[in-house]
Every structure is written in C-alpha cells, then in structure tokens.
Amino acid sequence: MNYTELVNETAERSGRSKAAVKEILDAIQDVTRDTLRSGDKVIIPGFVTLELTERGKRVGKDLQTGKPTEFGPTKVVVCRVSDAFKKYVRE
C-alpha cells in the first residue's frame, strides 16, 4: 500500500475527507521526525515503537574494489513492532 492508497482507505473508513486525512498523516510524520531528532522515543501502544540510536563505526567491504573500508558512526531509526500487532498479523 502506498501513501495515496493509505490516504484513500483511511478516508473511506473514517468518513473524513482525503484532504483531512492527508493533513493528519503529514502532521504525524512531522511530529515523529521532530521527536526522534530531539532524542525521544515515539510509542504508539499496540502498534510500534520508534527510536533513534547511534551505530558505531564499523568495517565493511567496498563493493567495487572488494577492499575493506571503514564506515563512521551513524544514526539509525529502530522500529520495534508490538507483540499485539505481530499476533494480529500472524492470525
């Protein structure tokens, strides 16, 4: 499901306009991005927990030359899906 399909399906199920749903989804995205950037977690009970963590430097392989190369530290978003959501999807 892409963004447009998500907006359409949510609008249909909620009885709201597509424009209203799009505005809400965009606001959720903005709030989530700002919250993670500030160092806090985003927790949606029964669905997902998002957290920004830092991965340390590591050694990888240059795919073009095959030689080892060092990658510096980077920030990554960790997404943990709730047990309730996993159970629902598996059934």
Side-chain angles (χ1 to χ4, degrees):
M1 174 178 281
N2 64 32
Y3 182 78
T4 302
E5 293 167 338
L6 179 63
V7 169
N8 292 341
E9 184 68 23
T10 304
E12 185 178 313
R13 289 187 186 197
S14 68
R16 303 229 191 299
S17 71
K18 291 178 188 177
V21 170
K22 184 181 180 316
E23 186 176 319
I24 291 167
L25 289 175
D26 290 345
I28 291 170
Q29 183 179 355
D30 290 342
V31 169
T32 300
R33 184 176 30 236
D34 294 344
T35 301
L36 292 174
R37 184 175 281 167
S38 74
D40 292 331
K41 293 181 186 179
V42 175
I43 302 170
I44 304 174
F47 185 53
V48 69
T49 299
L50 301 169
E51 182 177 14
L52 189 65
T53 62
E54 188 163 319
R55 184 186 320 171
K57 68 179 182 178
R58 60 191 174 87
V59 176
K61 184 169 124 178
D62 185 325
L63 297 177
Q64 292 181 349
T65 65
K67 295 180 182 179
T69 185
E70 192 172 286
F71 296 100
T74 186
K75 293 180 181 180
V76 295
V77 176
V78 175
C79 175
R80 286 189 294 270
V81 179
S82 75
D83 290 336
F85 189 75
K86 288 179 193 176
K87 183 179 176 184
Y88 177 80
V89 172
R90 289 181 185 148
E91 291 178 355

Coordinates of all heavy atoms in Angstrom, one line a residue:
M1 N 0.9 -1.2 0.0 CA 0.0 0.0 0.0 C 0.9 1.2 0.0 O 1.8 1.4 0.9 CB -0.9 0.0 1.2 CG -1.7 1.2 1.4 SD -2.8 1.2 2.8 CE -4.1 0.2 2.2
N2 N 0.7 2.1 -0.9 CA 1.5 3.3 -1.0 C 0.7 4.5 -0.2 O -0.4 4.3 0.3 CB 1.8 3.7 -2.4 CG 0.6 4.1 -3.3 OD1 -0.4 4.6 -2.8 ND2 0.6 3.8 -4.5
Y3 N 1.3 5.6 -0.2 CA 0.8 6.8 0.6 C -0.6 7.1 0.1 O -1.5 7.3 0.9 CB 1.7 8.0 0.4 CG 1.3 9.2 1.2 CD1 1.5 9.2 2.6 CD2 0.7 10.3 0.6 CE1 1.1 10.4 3.3 CE2 0.3 11.4 1.3 CZ 0.5 11.4 2.7 OH 0.1 12.5 3.4
T4 N -0.8 7.2 -1.2 CA -2.1 7.6 -1.8 C -3.2 6.6 -1.4 O -4.3 6.9 -1.0 CB -2.1 7.8 -3.3 OG1 -1.1 8.7 -3.6 CG2 -3.4 8.2 -3.9
E5 N -2.8 5.3 -1.5 CA -3.8 4.3 -1.1 C -4.1 4.3 0.4 O -5.3 4.1 0.8 CB -3.2 2.9 -1.5 CG -3.1 2.7 -3.0 CD -2.3 1.5 -3.4 OE1 -1.4 1.0 -2.5 OE2 -2.5 1.0 -4.5
L6 N -3.1 4.6 1.2 CA -3.3 4.7 2.6 C -4.3 5.9 2.9 O -5.2 5.8 3.7 CB -2.0 5.0 3.4 CG -2.1 5.1 4.9 CD1 -2.6 3.9 5.5 CD2 -0.7 5.5 5.4
V7 N -4.1 7.0 2.3 CA -5.0 8.2 2.5 C -6.4 7.8 2.0 O -7.3 8.1 2.8 CB -4.5 9.4 1.7 CG1 -5.5 10.5 1.6 CG2 -3.2 9.9 2.3
N8 N -6.5 7.2 0.9 CA -7.9 6.9 0.4 C -8.6 5.9 1.3 O -9.8 6.1 1.6 CB -7.8 6.3 -1.0 CG -7.3 7.3 -2.1 OD1 -7.4 8.5 -1.8 ND2 -6.8 6.8 -3.2
E9 N -7.9 4.8 1.7 CA -8.5 3.8 2.6 C -8.9 4.4 4.0 O -9.9 4.1 4.5 CB -7.6 2.6 2.7 CG -8.1 1.5 3.5 CD -9.3 0.8 2.8 OE1 -9.4 0.8 1.6 OE2 -10.1 0.1 3.6
T10 N -8.0 5.2 4.5 CA -8.3 5.8 5.8 C -9.4 6.8 5.7 O -10.3 6.8 6.6 CB -7.0 6.6 6.3 OG1 -5.9 5.6 6.4 CG2 -7.2 7.1 7.7
A11 N -9.5 7.6 4.7 CA -10.6 8.5 4.5 C -11.9 7.7 4.4 O -12.9 8.1 5.0 CB -10.4 9.3 3.2
E12 N -11.9 6.6 3.6 CA -13.1 5.8 3.5 C -13.6 5.2 4.8 O -14.8 5.3 5.1 CB -12.9 4.7 2.5 CG -14.1 3.9 2.1 CD -13.8 2.9 1.1 OE1 -13.2 3.2 0.1 OE2 -14.2 1.7 1.3
R13 N -12.7 4.7 5.6 CA -13.0 4.0 6.8 C -13.4 5.0 7.9 O -14.2 4.7 8.8 CB -11.8 3.2 7.3 CG -11.6 1.9 6.5 CD -10.6 1.1 7.1 NE -10.2 -0.1 6.3 CZ -9.6 -1.1 6.7 NH1 -9.3 -1.2 8.0 NH2 -9.3 -2.1 5.9
S14 N -12.8 6.2 7.9 CA -13.1 7.2 9.0 C -14.2 8.1 8.6 O -14.7 8.8 9.5 CB -11.8 8.0 9.3 OG -11.5 8.8 8.2
G15 N -14.6 8.2 7.4 CA -15.6 9.1 7.0 C -15.1 10.6 6.9 O -15.9 11.5 6.8
R16 N -13.8 10.8 6.9 CA -13.2 12.1 6.7 C -12.8 12.3 5.3 O -12.7 11.4 4.5 CB -12.0 12.2 7.6 CG -12.2 11.9 9.1 CD -11.6 13.0 9.9 NE -11.6 12.8 11.3 CZ -12.6 12.6 12.2 NH1 -13.8 12.5 11.7 NH2 -12.4 12.5 13.4
S17 N -12.5 13.5 4.9 CA -12.1 13.9 3.6 C -10.7 13.4 3.4 O -9.9 13.3 4.3 CB -12.2 15.4 3.3 OG -11.2 16.0 4.0
K18 N -10.3 13.2 2.1 CA -8.9 12.8 1.8 C -8.0 13.9 2.2 O -6.9 13.6 2.7 CB -8.8 12.5 0.3 CG -9.5 11.2 -0.1 CD -9.4 11.0 -1.6 CE -10.2 9.9 -2.0 NZ -10.2 9.7 -3.5
A19 N -8.4 15.2 2.0 CA -7.5 16.3 2.4 C -7.3 16.3 3.9 O -6.1 16.6 4.4 CB -8.2 17.6 2.0
A20 N -8.3 16.0 4.7 CA -8.1 16.0 6.2 C -7.2 14.9 6.6 O -6.3 15.1 7.5 CB -9.5 15.9 6.9
V21 N -7.4 13.7 6.0 CA -6.5 12.5 6.3 C -5.1 12.8 5.9 O -4.2 12.6 6.7 CB -7.1 11.3 5.6 CG1 -6.1 10.1 5.8 CG2 -8.4 10.9 6.2
K22 N -4.9 13.4 4.8 CA -3.5 13.7 4.3 C -2.9 14.7 5.3 O -1.7 14.6 5.7 CB -3.5 14.3 2.9 CG -2.2 14.6 2.4 CD -2.3 15.2 1.0 CE -0.9 15.5 0.4 NZ 0.1 16.1 1.2
E23 N -3.6 15.7 5.7 CA -3.1 16.7 6.7 C -2.7 16.0 8.0 O -1.6 16.3 8.6 CB -4.2 17.8 6.9 CG -3.7 18.9 7.7 CD -4.8 20.0 7.9 OE1 -5.4 20.3 6.9 OE2 -4.9 20.5 9.0
I24 N -3.5 15.1 8.5 CA -3.2 14.4 9.7 C -2.0 13.5 9.6 O -1.1 13.5 10.4 CB -4.5 13.6 10.2 CG1 -5.6 14.5 10.6 CG2 -4.1 12.6 11.3 CD1 -6.9 13.8 10.8
L25 N -1.9 12.7 8.5 CA -0.7 11.9 8.3 C 0.5 12.7 8.1 O 1.6 12.3 8.7 CB -0.9 11.0 7.0 CG -2.0 9.9 7.1 CD1 -2.2 9.2 5.8 CD2 -1.6 8.9 8.2
D26 N 0.5 13.8 7.5 CA 1.6 14.7 7.3 C 2.1 15.3 8.7 O 3.2 15.3 9.0 CB 1.4 15.8 6.4 CG 1.3 15.4 4.9 OD1 1.7 14.2 4.6 OD2 0.8 16.2 4.1
A27 N 1.1 15.6 9.5 CA 1.4 16.1 10.9 C 2.0 15.0 11.7 O 3.0 15.3 12.5 CB 0.1 16.6 11.5
I28 N 1.5 13.8 11.6 CA 2.1 12.6 12.4 C 3.5 12.4 11.9 O 4.4 12.2 12.8 CB 1.3 11.4 12.1 CG1 -0.1 11.5 12.8 CG2 2.0 10.1 12.7 CD1 -1.1 10.4 12.5
Q29 N 3.8 12.5 10.6 CA 5.2 12.4 10.1 C 6.1 13.5 10.7 O 7.2 13.2 11.1 CB 5.2 12.4 8.6 CG 6.5 12.2 8.0 CD 6.5 12.2 6.5 OE1 5.4 12.3 5.9 NE2 7.6 12.1 5.9
D30 N 5.6 14.7 10.7 CA 6.4 15.8 11.2 C 6.7 15.7 12.7 O 7.8 15.9 13.1 CB 5.7 17.2 10.9 CG 5.6 17.5 9.5 OD1 6.4 17.0 8.7 OD2 4.8 18.4 9.1
V31 N 5.7 15.3 13.5 CA 5.8 15.2 14.9 C 6.8 14.0 15.2 O 7.7 14.1 16.0 CB 4.5 14.9 15.6 CG1 4.7 14.5 17.0 CG2 3.6 16.2 15.5
T32 N 6.7 12.9 14.5 CA 7.5 11.8 14.6 C 9.0 12.1 14.3 O 9.9 11.8 15.1 CB 7.1 10.6 13.8 OG1 5.7 10.2 14.1 CG2 8.0 9.4 13.9
R33 N 9.2 12.8 13.2 CA 10.6 13.2 12.8 C 11.2 14.1 13.9 O 12.3 13.9 14.3 CB 10.5 13.9 11.5 CG 11.8 14.2 10.9 CD 11.7 14.8 9.5 NE 10.5 15.5 9.2 CZ 9.7 15.2 8.2 NH1 10.0 14.3 7.3 NH2 8.6 16.0 8.0
D34 N 10.4 15.1 14.3 CA 10.9 16.1 15.3 C 11.2 15.4 16.6 O 12.2 15.7 17.3 CB 10.0 17.2 15.5 CG 9.8 18.1 14.2 OD1 10.7 18.0 13.3 OD2 8.8 18.9 14.2
T35 N 10.3 14.5 17.1 CA 10.5 13.8 18.3 C 11.7 12.9 18.3 O 12.5 12.9 19.3 CB 9.3 12.9 18.6 OG1 8.1 13.8 18.7 CG2 9.4 12.2 20.0
L36 N 12.0 12.2 17.2 CA 13.1 11.3 17.1 C 14.4 12.2 17.1 O 15.4 11.8 17.7 CB 13.1 10.4 15.9 CG 12.0 9.3 15.9 CD1 11.9 8.6 14.6 CD2 12.2 8.4 17.1
R37 N 14.4 13.3 16.3 CA 15.5 14.1 16.2 C 15.9 14.7 17.6 O 17.1 14.9 17.9 CB 15.3 15.2 15.2 CG 16.5 16.1 15.0 CD 16.3 17.1 14.0 NE 16.4 16.5 12.7 CZ 16.1 17.0 11.5 NH1 15.5 18.2 11.5 NH2 16.2 16.4 10.4
S38 N 14.9 15.0 18.5 CA 15.2 15.5 19.8 C 15.7 14.5 20.8 O 16.1 14.8 21.9 CB 14.0 16.2 20.3 OG 13.0 15.2 20.8
G39 N 15.7 13.2 20.3 CA 16.2 12.1 21.2 C 15.2 11.3 21.9 O 15.6 10.4 22.7
D40 N 13.9 11.6 21.7 CA 12.9 10.9 22.4 C 12.3 9.8 21.6 O 12.5 9.8 20.3 CB 11.7 11.8 22.8 CG 12.1 12.9 23.8 OD1 13.0 12.6 24.7 OD2 11.5 14.0 23.8
K41 N 11.7 8.8 22.2 CA 11.0 7.7 21.5 C 9.6 8.1 21.1 O 9.0 9.0 21.7 CB 10.9 6.5 22.4 CG 12.1 5.8 22.8 CD 11.8 4.6 23.7 CE 13.0 4.0 24.3 NZ 12.6 2.9 25.2
V42 N 9.1 7.5 20.0 CA 7.7 7.6 19.7 C 7.1 6.2 19.9 O 7.5 5.2 19.3 CB 7.6 8.0 18.2 CG1 6.1 8.0 17.8 CG2 8.2 9.3 17.9
I43 N 6.1 6.2 20.8 CA 5.5 4.9 21.2 C 4.0 5.0 20.9 O 3.3 5.9 21.3 CB 5.6 4.6 22.7 CG1 7.1 4.6 23.0 CG2 4.9 3.3 23.1 CD1 7.4 4.6 24.5
I44 N 3.5 4.1 20.0 CA 2.1 4.0 19.7 C 1.7 2.6 20.2 O 2.0 1.6 19.6 CB 1.9 4.1 18.2 CG1 2.4 5.4 17.6 CG2 0.4 4.0 17.9 CD1 2.4 5.6 16.1
P45 N 1.1 2.6 21.4 CA 0.7 1.4 22.1 C -0.1 0.4 21.1 O -1.0 0.9 20.4 CB -0.1 1.8 23.3 CG 0.3 3.2 23.5 CD 0.6 3.8 22.2
G46 N 0.3 -0.8 21.2 CA -0.4 -1.8 20.4 C 0.0 -1.8 18.9 O -0.5 -2.6 18.1
F47 N 1.0 -1.0 18.6 CA 1.4 -0.8 17.2 C 2.9 -0.9 17.0 O 3.5 -1.9 16.5 CB 0.8 0.4 16.5 CG 1.1 0.6 15.1 CD1 0.8 -0.4 14.2 CD2 1.6 1.7 14.6 CE1 1.0 -0.3 12.8 CE2 1.9 1.9 13.2 CZ 1.6 0.9 12.3
V48 N 3.6 0.2 17.4 CA 5.0 0.3 17.1 C 5.7 1.3 18.1 O 5.1 2.2 18.6 CB 5.3 0.8 15.7 CG1 4.8 2.2 15.5 CG2 6.7 0.6 15.2
T49 N 7.0 1.0 18.3 CA 7.9 1.9 19.0 C 9.0 2.3 18.1 O 9.7 1.4 17.5 CB 8.5 1.3 20.3 OG1 7.4 0.9 21.1 CG2 9.4 2.2 21.0
L50 N 9.3 3.6 17.9 CA 10.4 4.1 17.1 C 11.4 4.8 17.9 O 11.0 5.6 18.8 CB 9.8 5.1 16.0 CG 8.8 4.5 15.1 CD1 8.1 5.7 14.3 CD2 9.4 3.5 14.1
E51 N 12.7 4.6 17.7 CA 13.7 5.2 18.5 C 14.9 5.4 17.6 O 15.3 4.6 16.7 CB 14.1 4.2 19.6 CG 15.1 4.7 20.6 CD 15.3 3.7 21.7 OE1 14.9 2.5 21.6 OE2 16.0 4.1 22.7
L52 N 15.6 6.5 17.8 CA 16.8 6.9 17.1 C 18.0 6.4 17.9 O 18.1 6.7 19.1 CB 16.9 8.4 16.9 CG 18.0 8.9 16.0 CD1 17.8 8.4 14.6 CD2 18.1 10.4 16.0
T53 N 18.8 5.6 17.3 CA 20.0 5.1 18.0 C 21.3 5.3 17.2 O 21.1 5.6 16.0 CB 20.0 3.5 18.3 OG1 19.9 2.8 17.0 CG2 18.8 3.2 19.1
E54 N 22.4 5.3 17.8 CA 23.6 5.5 17.1 C 24.4 4.2 16.9 O 24.6 3.5 17.8 CB 24.5 6.5 17.8 CG 25.7 7.0 16.9 CD 26.4 8.2 17.4 OE1 25.6 9.2 17.8 OE2 27.6 8.3 17.4
R55 N 24.7 3.9 15.7 CA 25.5 2.8 15.3 C 27.0 3.2 15.3 O 27.3 4.2 14.6 CB 25.1 2.2 14.0 CG 25.8 0.9 13.6 CD 25.6 0.4 12.2 NE 24.2 0.6 11.8 CZ 23.7 0.4 10.6 NH1 24.6 0.0 9.7 NH2 22.5 0.5 10.3
G56 N 27.9 2.5 16.0 CA 29.3 2.8 16.0 C 30.0 2.6 14.7 O 29.4 2.0 13.7
K57 N 31.2 3.1 14.6 CA 31.9 2.9 13.3 C 32.2 1.4 13.1 O 32.3 0.6 14.1 CB 33.2 3.7 13.3 CG 34.3 3.2 14.2 CD 35.5 4.1 14.1 CE 36.6 3.7 15.0 NZ 37.8 4.5 14.8
R58 N 32.3 1.0 11.9 CA 32.4 -0.4 11.6 C 33.2 -0.6 10.3 O 33.4 0.4 9.5 CB 31.1 -1.1 11.4 CG 30.2 -0.5 10.3 CD 28.8 -1.0 10.3 NE 28.0 -0.3 9.4 CZ 27.8 -0.6 8.1 NH1 28.5 -1.7 7.6 NH2 27.1 0.1 7.3
V59 N 33.7 -1.8 10.1 CA 34.5 -2.1 8.9 C 33.6 -2.8 7.9 O 32.9 -3.8 8.3 CB 35.8 -2.9 9.2 CG1 36.5 -3.3 7.9 CG2 36.7 -2.1 10.1
G60 N 33.5 -2.4 6.7 CA 32.7 -3.1 5.7 C 33.6 -3.3 4.4 O 34.8 -3.2 4.5
K61 N 32.9 -3.7 3.4 CA 33.7 -4.0 2.1 C 33.2 -3.1 1.0 O 32.0 -2.9 0.8 CB 33.4 -5.5 1.8 CG 34.1 -6.0 0.6 CD 33.9 -7.5 0.5 CE 33.3 -7.9 -0.8 NZ 33.2 -9.3 -1.0
D62 N 34.2 -2.5 0.3 CA 33.9 -1.7 -0.9 C 33.5 -2.6 -2.0 O 34.2 -3.5 -2.4 CB 35.2 -0.9 -1.3 CG 34.9 0.0 -2.4 OD1 34.1 -0.3 -3.3 OD2 35.6 1.1 -2.4
L63 N 32.3 -2.5 -2.4 CA 31.7 -3.4 -3.4 C 32.4 -3.3 -4.8 O 32.4 -4.3 -5.5 CB 30.2 -3.2 -3.6 CG 29.4 -3.5 -2.3 CD1 27.9 -3.1 -2.5 CD2 29.5 -4.9 -1.8
Q64 N 33.0 -2.2 -5.1 CA 33.6 -2.1 -6.4 C 35.0 -2.7 -6.4 O 35.5 -3.3 -7.3 CB 33.7 -0.6 -6.8 CG 32.3 0.0 -7.1 CD 32.4 1.4 -7.6 OE1 33.4 2.1 -7.4 NE2 31.3 1.9 -8.1
T65 N 35.8 -2.5 -5.3 CA 37.1 -3.0 -5.2 C 37.3 -4.3 -4.4 O 38.3 -5.0 -4.6 CB 38.1 -1.9 -4.6 OG1 37.7 -1.7 -3.3 CG2 38.0 -0.6 -5.4
G66 N 36.3 -4.5 -3.5 CA 36.4 -5.7 -2.7 C 37.3 -5.5 -1.4 O 37.5 -6.4 -0.6
K67 N 37.9 -4.3 -1.3 CA 38.8 -4.0 -0.2 C 38.0 -3.6 1.0 O 36.9 -2.9 0.9 CB 39.8 -2.9 -0.6 CG 40.7 -3.3 -1.7 CD 41.7 -2.1 -2.0 CE 42.6 -2.5 -3.2 NZ 43.5 -1.4 -3.5
P68 N 38.5 -3.8 2.2 CA 37.9 -3.4 3.4 C 37.9 -1.8 3.5 O 38.8 -1.2 3.1 CB 38.7 -3.9 4.6 CG 39.6 -5.0 3.9 CD 39.7 -4.6 2.5
T69 N 36.8 -1.3 4.0 CA 36.7 0.1 4.2 C 36.0 0.4 5.5 O 35.2 -0.4 6.0 CB 35.9 0.8 3.0 OG1 35.9 2.2 3.2 CG2 34.5 0.3 2.9
E70 N 36.3 1.5 6.1 CA 35.7 1.9 7.4 C 34.6 2.9 7.2 O 34.7 3.9 6.5 CB 36.8 2.5 8.3 CG 36.4 2.6 9.7 CD 37.5 3.1 10.6 OE1 38.4 2.2 10.9 OE2 37.5 4.2 11.0
F71 N 33.5 2.6 7.9 CA 32.3 3.4 7.9 C 32.2 4.1 9.3 O 32.4 3.4 10.3 CB 31.0 2.7 7.6 CG 31.0 2.0 6.3 CD1 31.3 0.7 6.1 CD2 30.7 2.8 5.2 CE1 31.3 0.1 4.8 CE2 30.6 2.2 3.9 CZ 30.9 0.9 3.7
G72 N 32.0 5.4 9.3 CA 31.9 6.1 10.5 C 30.6 5.9 11.2 O 29.7 5.2 10.7
P73 N 30.5 6.4 12.4 CA 29.3 6.2 13.2 C 28.1 6.9 12.5 O 28.3 7.9 11.8 CB 29.5 6.9 14.5 CG 30.8 7.7 14.4 CD 31.5 7.2 13.1
T74 N 26.9 6.4 12.7 CA 25.7 6.9 12.0 C 24.5 6.7 12.9 O 24.5 5.8 13.8 CB 25.5 6.3 10.6 OG1 24.4 7.0 10.0 CG2 25.2 4.8 10.7
K75 N 23.5 7.5 12.7 CA 22.3 7.4 13.5 C 21.3 6.6 12.6 O 21.2 6.9 11.4 CB 21.7 8.8 13.8 CG 22.5 9.5 14.8 CD 21.9 10.9 15.1 CE 22.8 11.6 16.1 NZ 22.3 12.9 16.4
V76 N 20.6 5.7 13.2 CA 19.6 4.9 12.5 C 18.3 4.9 13.4 O 18.3 5.0 14.6 CB 20.1 3.5 12.3 CG1 21.2 3.4 11.3 CG2 20.4 2.8 13.6
V77 N 17.2 4.7 12.7 CA 15.9 4.6 13.3 C 15.6 3.1 13.6 O 15.7 2.3 12.6 CB 14.7 5.2 12.5 CG1 13.4 5.0 13.2 CG2 15.0 6.7 12.3
V78 N 15.3 2.7 14.8 CA 15.0 1.4 15.2 C 13.5 1.3 15.3 O 12.9 2.1 16.0 CB 15.7 0.9 16.5 CG1 15.2 -0.4 16.9 CG2 17.2 1.0 16.3
C79 N 12.9 0.3 14.7 CA 11.4 0.2 14.7 C 11.1 -1.2 15.3 O 11.5 -2.2 14.8 CB 10.9 0.2 13.3 SG 9.1 -0.1 13.2
R80 N 10.4 -1.2 16.5 CA 10.0 -2.4 17.1 C 8.5 -2.5 17.1 O 7.8 -1.6 17.7 CB 10.5 -2.4 18.6 CG 12.0 -2.7 18.7 CD 12.5 -2.9 20.1 NE 12.3 -1.7 20.9 CZ 13.3 -0.8 21.1 NH1 14.4 -0.9 20.5 NH2 13.0 0.2 21.8
V81 N 8.0 -3.5 16.5 CA 6.6 -3.7 16.4 C 6.1 -4.4 17.6 O 6.7 -5.3 18.2 CB 6.3 -4.6 15.1 CG1 4.8 -4.9 15.0 CG2 6.8 -3.9 13.9
S82 N 4.9 -4.0 18.1 CA 4.4 -4.6 19.3 C 4.0 -6.0 19.2 O 3.7 -6.5 18.1 CB 3.2 -3.8 19.8 OG 2.1 -4.1 19.0
D83 N 4.0 -6.8 20.3 CA 3.6 -8.2 20.2 C 2.2 -8.3 19.8 O 1.8 -9.3 19.1 CB 3.8 -8.8 21.6 CG 5.3 -9.0 22.0 OD1 6.1 -9.0 21.0 OD2 5.6 -9.1 23.2
A84 N 1.3 -7.4 20.3 CA -0.1 -7.5 19.9 C -0.3 -7.3 18.4 O -1.1 -8.1 17.8 CB -0.9 -6.4 20.6
F85 N 0.4 -6.4 17.8 CA 0.3 -6.2 16.3 C 0.9 -7.4 15.6 O 0.3 -7.9 14.6 CB 1.1 -5.0 16.0 CG 0.8 -4.6 14.5 CD1 -0.4 -4.0 14.1 CD2 1.8 -4.8 13.6 CE1 -0.6 -3.6 12.8 CE2 1.6 -4.4 12.2 CZ 0.4 -3.8 11.9
K86 N 2.0 -8.0 16.0 CA 2.6 -9.2 15.4 C 1.6 -10.3 15.5 O 1.4 -11.0 14.5 CB 3.9 -9.6 16.1 CG 5.0 -8.7 15.9 CD 6.2 -9.2 16.7 CE 7.4 -8.3 16.7 NZ 8.5 -8.7 17.6
K87 N 1.0 -10.5 16.6 CA 0.0 -11.6 16.8 C -1.2 -11.4 15.9 O -1.6 -12.4 15.2 CB -0.5 -11.6 18.3 CG -1.4 -12.7 18.6 CD -1.8 -12.7 20.0 CE -2.9 -13.8 20.3 NZ -3.4 -13.8 21.6
Y88 N -1.7 -10.2 15.7 CA -2.8 -9.9 14.9 C -2.5 -10.2 13.4 O -3.3 -10.8 12.7 CB -3.3 -8.4 15.0 CG -4.4 -8.1 14.0 CD1 -5.7 -8.4 14.4 CD2 -4.1 -7.4 12.8 CE1 -6.7 -8.1 13.5 CE2 -5.1 -7.1 12.0 CZ -6.4 -7.5 12.3 OH -7.4 -7.2 11.4
V89 N -1.3 -9.8 13.0 CA -0.9 -10.0 11.6 C -0.7 -11.5 11.3 O -1.0 -12.0 10.2 CB 0.4 -9.2 11.3 CG1 0.9 -9.6 9.9 CG2 0.1 -7.7 11.4
R90 N -0.2 -12.3 12.2 CA 0.1 -13.7 12.0 C -1.2 -14.5 12.0 O -1.2 -15.6 11.4 CB 1.0 -14.2 13.1 CG 2.4 -13.7 13.0 CD 3.2 -14.2 14.1 NE 4.6 -13.6 14.1 CZ 5.3 -13.4 15.1 NH1 4.9 -13.8 16.3 NH2 6.5 -12.9 15.0
E91 N -2.3 -14.1 12.6 CA -3.5 -14.9 12.6 C -4.2 -14.8 11.3 O -4.2 -14.0 10.5 CB -4.4 -14.4 13.7 CG -3.8 -14.7 15.1 CD -4.7 -14.2 16.2 OE1 -5.7 -13.5 16.0 OE2 -4.4 -14.4 17.3

